[in-house]
Amino acid sequence: AKKFGYKIMIGCMTESSVGISAGCALAGLLDYADLDGANLISNDYAKGSVVENGKIMVSEKPGLGISIF
C-alpha cells in the first residue's frame, strides 16, 4: 500500500486485548490506528498492550505481551 501512496489504517470495534496487542505490535507501520476496542469489553479475558489517552502502551512482556486470566 505504501508503495502505491496509500495510507494504512488498522482498527477494531470490539476486540479483546489479544487482538489489540497484535495491532499495537504493527503500529509503527501505520498511518492511523483505532485500537481502543478492548475498552468497550467489560469481561475481557486477557491483558496486554493498551491504548491510554490516545497513546499506545506496549506491554513489556515477551511476544505480544499477553496474559490470559
Side-chain angles (χ1 to χ4, degrees), residues 13-17 36-46 69:
M13 187 59 180
T14 53
E15 180 61 61
S16 72
S17 293
D36 61 350
N39 296 339
L40 303 172
I41 299 174
S42 63
N43 61 345
D44 195 357
Y45 58 88
F69 305 136

Side-chain angles (χ1 to χ4, degrees), residues 2 4 6 10 15-17 21 23 29 36 42-43 49 56 62-63 69:
K2 292 263 188 194
F4 292 105
Y6 291 104
I10 191 172
E15 180 61 61
S16 72
S17 293
S21 296
L29 303 172
D36 61 350
S42 63
N43 61 345
S49 298
I56 295 173
F69 305 136

Side-chain angles (χ1 to χ4, degrees), residues 4-64:
F4 292 105
Y6 291 104
K7 299 283 184 181
I8 300 173
M9 177 181 175
I10 191 172
C12 63
M13 187 59 180
T14 53
E15 180 61 61
S16 72
S17 293
V18 175
I20 299 302
S21 296
C24 288
L26 299 173
L29 303 172
L30 308 173
D31 296 296
Y32 306 100
D34 178 9
L35 297 170
D36 61 350
N39 296 339
L40 303 172
I41 299 174
S42 63
N43 61 345
D44 195 357
Y45 58 88
K47 182 172 174 72
S49 298
V50 296
V51 178
E52 291 180 357
N53 298 320
K55 294 187 178 192
I56 295 173
M57 310 298 285
V58 179
S59 174
E60 294 183 10
K61 296 181 180 180
L64 292 178

